[in-house]
């Protein structure tokens, strides 16, 4: 069976994709203190090398003090995270893959880190 459109170029709004294969966001727990790590960059670069058209980077927390859902969430709520996020995007784009990010707040199951553990705050 042939899937003629799967490997053809596609679009998401104005963004052109080299194919119609997308990697959904998956929480890796590879971030440390909200920052992108080498392990995270290597993980996403390997998936980009695999040929997907778009990678949706795991959820980045918009309120890292009260809105987290794991102890090792990626954060996007302060400018200090931008350089690492830019490097991560460049690792993905270097392989011809589009990089997008999923922003998130833990909602009613959200928490903050206390003594290295997630303590629920109920958002």
């Amino acid at each position: 069976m042939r899937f003629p459109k799967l490997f053809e170029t596609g679009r998401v709004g104005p963004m052109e994709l080299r194919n119609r294969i997308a990697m959904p966001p998956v929480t890796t727990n590879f971030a440390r203190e909200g920052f992108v790590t080498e392990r995270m960059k290597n993980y996403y670069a390997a998936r980009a090398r695999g040929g997907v058209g778009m990678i949706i980077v795991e959820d980045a927390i918009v309120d890292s003090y009260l809105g987290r859902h794991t102890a090792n969430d990626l954060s996007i709520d302060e400018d200090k995270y931008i350089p690492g996020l830019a490097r991560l995007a460049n690792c993905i784009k270097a392989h011809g893959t589009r990089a997008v990010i999923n922003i998130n707040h833990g909602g009613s199951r959200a928490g903050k880190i206390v003594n290295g553990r997630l303590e629920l705050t109920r958002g």
Side-chain angles (χ1 to χ4, degrees):
M1 175 178 245
R2 178 166 145 40
F3 299 99
K5 295 189 178 205
L6 186 61
F7 296 103
E8 294 175 7
T9 60
R11 299 191 81 71
V12 175
M15 183 172 47
E16 186 171 327
L17 308 176
R18 67 178 171 182
N19 60 49
R20 296 168 187 225
I21 301 170
M23 178 185 160
V26 177
T27 300
T28 63
N29 287 309
F30 292 161
R32 290 297 174 262
E33 298 179 9
F35 290 96
V36 171
T37 62
E38 285 300 311
R39 184 176 184 192
M40 181 179 279
K41 289 191 301 188
N42 293 337
Y43 173 84
Y44 284 106
R47 272 100 198 127
R49 271 193 308 277
V52 299
M54 177 176 66
I55 291 177
I56 306 169
V57 174
E58 64 196 79
D59 50 339
I61 303 302
V62 297
D63 178 358
S64 59
Y65 181 69
L66 295 174
R68 299 170 71 150
H69 65 85
T70 73
N72 295 309
D73 288 321
L74 186 61
S75 295
I76 198 167
D77 59 340
E78 292 184 48
D79 288 348
K80 66 184 180 182
Y81 300 114
I82 292 173
L85 291 167
R87 287 190 294 274
L88 176 60
N90 288 335
C91 286
I92 295 168
K93 294 189 298 184
H95 301 285
T97 301
R98 294 295 189 150
V100 298
I101 197 161
N102 178 33
I103 58 173
N104 191 17
H105 183 284
S108 65
R109 298 292 300 164
K112 64 180 179 179
I113 303 302
V114 177
N115 297 324
R117 296 179 52 124
L118 187 70
E119 179 180 288
L120 291 183
T121 61
R122 299 182 190 242

